[in-house]
Amino acid sequence: MNPSPSSTQLPIPPNPVLVIHYHEIALKGGNQAYFENILKRNIQQRLADLSQARVRHMRNRLVVRGLPPEAVTRVIPRLQQVFGIANISIGTEVDASMEAMKSAAQALVQGLSFASFAVRPKRAEKKYPFTSQDIGREVGAAVWEVSHARVDLTHPELEVFVEVVQGKAYIFAAKLPGPGGLPVGSSGRGVVLFSVGFDAPVAAWRMMKRGLSLHLVHFHGQPQTDDASVRKARALARVLAQWHGRIRLTLVAFAQAQEIISVACPERLRTILYRRMMMRVANKLAWRYHARALVTGESLGQVASQTLPNLAAIEDAAAFPVLRPLIAFDKQEILAEAQRIGTHDISILPHDEACTLFQPRRIETAAKLEDVRAAEEALDIPWMLEQLMAQAETEIILPDWDTRNS
Ligand code: ATP
Ligand code: MG
């Protein structure tokens, strides 16, 4: 096993550079520049408080220069939340002469204790005068001189990476993992139907990882309920914002719509009719904020409203593709993911859901579309939508690292 020191144990050189690798977007052929530019912009946002930092694109990697050494441990965790990044290395940049690479490698391993090592050379341009073998041999000899550790190419305790790109060489000792996926914003935007249990926040995170930028909408029961669900929605949005960057959250007072539906429509269809109304509000927001998809936390069979006929009856009210990243997840898998991404401990807090207020005693598990549509004949849907939109309030939730004025 190769050690992968956490960022705090890593030696930070006096003029650190970060070398950021991405894999999936490197495969995108003609679209590569599009993805790289969005990734670069997303990285720059996280460095906005460091006026000297510069991000430069160098053949299938991004290089960050101008970071004060003491800022590195603060910035690394932020970058580990940037989708699209495969790994991040902290190293030094030197001119790609053999002498410079050797002394940089020696400086890098000073103070590290390791019994075995391997040099991992990589050249971006084949016209470079030295072969990878040359680099491996010479830099390896230099590392041996100062460490007397043995060379072990299969199971080294320490790996010394040397990457030669455009006349420069980057020397570093570890790759810290990024989250992978695609840069947020590269796949367009989606409106997330953002309830505050475990599912919807995890679904939002999953779609973000596929490059979707998000607009969150939460339906609450105030003033009939307290503000617990709204406070949870804000706290969950803040967790997502660490990964997403500033994010919009629309809060919609839903109790009146529920009351109207519960009075005018068959009890067994209530839940489905509530969801259809939520879909319609989400449609409106999608048009307004240039989103082209709706996202839910639905999981097949998890609850009675999530049977195939009911999903179809709900989707019928959607004007955009409904993305359900958790459709095939078990609850246990969702809980584990909520733990990993940091939403679990907020989702677990109690709240009165908008929907429990006028909750039916029994819910239809095989709703027929014609029955659902017939039930809606009793409603003035355009008027209801107008009321809902008139009471909608949109706020911007900032991540901790965003110090710009909103
Ligand atoms: P979750 O765990 O995501 O809070 P849930 O398991 O309670 O939801 P349902 O209540 O059946 O599931 O809701 C299914 C989906 O409908 C949710 O994942 C969410 O996308 C959407 N939804 C439900 N209630 C609301 C709400 N009050 N505001 C916004 N979206 C909602
Ligand atoms: Mg659920």
Side-chain angles (χ1 to χ4, degrees), residues 51-109:
S51 54
Q52 301 300 309
R54 294 283 173 274
V55 186
R56 206 174 132 202
H57 176 217
M58 293 181 82
R59 277 186 190 259
N60 292 337
R61 56 183 74 52
L62 292 164
V63 175
V64 182
R65 299 196 183 84
L67 279 180
E70 69 279 6
V72 170
T73 46
R74 175 153 49 96
V75 155
I76 292 285
R78 293 182 196 172
L79 296 181
Q80 290 188 295
Q81 293 183 311
V82 177
F83 291 111
I85 293 181
N87 58 65
I88 308 156
S89 309
I90 308 164
T92 26
E93 179 188 78
V94 292
D95 287 327
S97 73
M98 196 57 91
E99 279 319 303
M101 294 191 291
K102 282 158 65 173
S103 26
Q106 288 180 329
L108 183 79
V109 304

Side-chain angles (χ1 to χ4, degrees), residues 13 31-32 56 62 65 91 112 132-133 151 172 190-191 196 243 272 288 291 303 310 335 346 403:
N31 285 332
Q32 188 174 337
R56 206 174 132 202
L62 292 164
R65 299 196 183 84
L112 295 181
S132 291
Q133 286 90 330
V151 173
F172 49 87
V191 172
V196 295
W243 306 79
I272 291 157
R288 182 179 297 172
V303 290
N310 288 2
L335 291 174
I346 303 167
T403 51

Side-chain angles (χ1 to χ4, degrees), residues 18-22 25-26 31-41 43-44 54-65 93 125 165-166 170:
L18 304 182
V19 180
I20 297 174
H21 286 274
Y22 33 90
I25 54 180
N31 285 332
Q32 188 174 337
Y34 168 80
F35 288 91
E36 283 164 343
N37 287 333
I38 294 175
L39 180 61
K40 185 174 166 186
R41 184 198 67 198
I43 291 169
Q44 281 165 334
R54 294 283 173 274
V55 186
R56 206 174 132 202
H57 176 217
M58 293 181 82
R59 277 186 190 259
N60 292 337
R61 56 183 74 52
L62 292 164
V63 175
V64 182
R65 299 196 183 84
E93 179 188 78
E125 296 97 6
V165 197
Q166 296 172 351
Y170 299 92

